[in-house]
Amino acid sequence: EVQLVVSGGGLVQAGGSLRLSCAASGFTFDDYAIGWLRQAPGKEREGVSCISIRDGSTYYADSVKGRFTISRDNAKNTVYLQMNSLKPEDTAVYYCVAEFAPGINGVRCISPDYWGQGTQVTVSS
């Protein structure tokens, strides 16, 4: 059974930090890119960040570059999203996703094969 188990999220003041974790199981970790999409009320779903598990190449949306960092721990089959300098416009439900991408660089995780549960991130001004 494929699982993407998300932890983290919550309420933070603007300028604060949060870390999201996504623990993957049930598929070959190395063959995938794993990342985060977010959905805010009334807005289109946005690809936030993505990391290729095999080679570690990363993608960031322009809106989060320099503030968010995605990383992986292959031994734990876990991907992390460190979110710093949070802004009210980062408020959204964040979803961990996995996209099959064996040996492919530059994946954005916008066509995922698997989804984890969403976690609410709320940034107060």
Side-chain angles (χ1 to χ4, degrees):
E1 178 188 6
V2 172
Q3 285 191 313
L4 295 171
V5 179
V6 175
S7 59
L11 173 65
V12 66
Q13 288 188 333
S17 299
L18 286 172
R19 189 176 83 157
L20 305 181
S21 300
C22 177
S25 62
F27 58 90
T28 304
F29 198 55
D30 286 1
D31 284 341
Y32 282 77
I34 295 182
W36 303 86
L37 306 181
R38 68 185 180 186
Q39 180 87 58
K43 295 186 178 180
E44 290 188 0
R45 189 167 61 206
E46 178 184 18
V48 176
S49 185
C50 185
I51 186 166
S52 170
I53 298 304
R54 184 164 295 180
D55 69 3
S57 59
T58 58
Y59 161 78
Y60 296 97
D62 287 343
S63 58
V64 306
K65 280 181 182 176
R67 301 188 297 121
F68 290 12
T69 303
I70 193 168
S71 61
R72 74 201 194 287
D73 184 334
N74 287 29
K76 296 182 178 179
N77 280 17
T78 299
V79 170
Y80 305 96
L81 185 68
Q82 178 66 42
M83 304 184 292
N84 297 330
S85 302
L86 282 161
K87 304 176 180 180
E89 50 264 44
D90 294 317
T91 295
V93 177
Y94 285 69
Y95 298 91
C96 177
V97 296
E99 182 173 332
F100 184 62
I104 301 172
N105 296 327
V107 181
R108 297 188 176 189
C109 293
I110 58 174
S111 299
D113 297 280
Y114 304 117
W115 292 73
Q117 82 274 21
T119 187
Q120 178 70 45
V121 171
T122 302
V123 184
S124 63
S125 56

